[in-house]
Amino acid sequence: MPTPDFVLALREKIGHDLLWLSGVTAVVLRDASGGREILLVKRADTGAWTPVTGIIDPGEAPAVAGARECLEEADVVAEAEALVRVKTLPPMTYANGDRSQYLDLVFRFRYISGEPYPADGENTDARWFPIDAMPEMSEDMLDRVHAALSGSDVATFET
């Protein structure tokens, strides 16, 4: 998964020390003839199915970051409808020793256009799944999806 240039510049200064980052999860939904569908991508690094995720660039609005990530990762145009979850994720250590912790902002997005495919190399697959036939996902990713599917436009705040 490509690391944003601003993170690489910070890593030159702080090495592997813990870096606090803001992330976004875009749960993209659309209505189809068979019912509601969700856009999922299969990550190249882990093989896991997830909603679209990414790091928010400095000065970038979180909803804009989510829309950008949808276009970059899956070639899908989507529009943010609601912020549905705010959660501090546990610290993590990457294979190269870098340590990061994320504030994850989960948005429900409405599909506008585009046919998904793995557009930028971060994923090996991108496609629509019926809500009742999603592939296996981690508990954390399922929690993000369920927050978007809850129907509430009021975000939950979790630690």
Side-chain angles (χ1 to χ4, degrees):
M1 165 157 78
T3 303
D5 290 340
F6 83 91
V7 173
L8 295 175
L10 287 170
R11 286 287 175 211
E12 287 179 11
K13 294 174 176 55
I14 67 166
H16 298 302
D17 287 350
L18 186 66
L19 180 59
W20 175 254
L21 294 167
S22 298
V24 64
T25 299
V27 180
V28 183
L29 303 172
R30 76 172 182 181
D31 293 321
S33 60
R36 207 161 201 203
E37 295 180 327
I38 184 170
L39 174 66
L40 298 175
V41 295
K42 189 171 187 179
R43 294 176 52 106
D45 57 350
T46 65
W49 284 100
T50 71
V52 173
T53 62
I55 295 172
I56 301 169
D57 289 338
E60 186 177 33
V64 171
R68 173 183 53 77
E69 291 288 350
C70 290
L71 192 58
E72 288 177 0
E73 291 189 15
D75 201 38
V76 166
V77 177
E79 180 178 77
E81 290 184 324
L83 174 65
V84 296
R85 188 180 91 157
V86 177
K87 182 174 183 177
T88 301
L89 302 179
M92 60 187 311
T93 302
Y94 291 96
N96 68 355
D98 287 351
R99 295 174 41 235
S100 297
Q101 186 169 13
Y102 293 89
L103 174 66
D104 183 53
L105 305 172
V106 180
F107 287 87
R108 182 178 63 245
F109 273 76
R110 179 175 58 87
Y111 168 75
I112 304 295
S113 65
E115 279 307 310
Y117 74 95
D120 69 357
E122 289 187 43
N123 303 296
T124 59
D125 200 355
R127 62 177 123 141
W128 295 105
F129 287 90
I131 295 298
D132 61 357
M134 292 185 292
E136 270 190 53
M137 282 185 273
S138 71
E139 185 176 330
D140 177 52
M141 290 298 167
L142 279 174
D143 288 346
R144 297 178 200 197
V145 169
H146 289 143
L149 293 174
S150 73
S152 176
D153 288 349
V154 178
T156 60
F157 298 91
E158 306 171 27
T159 57

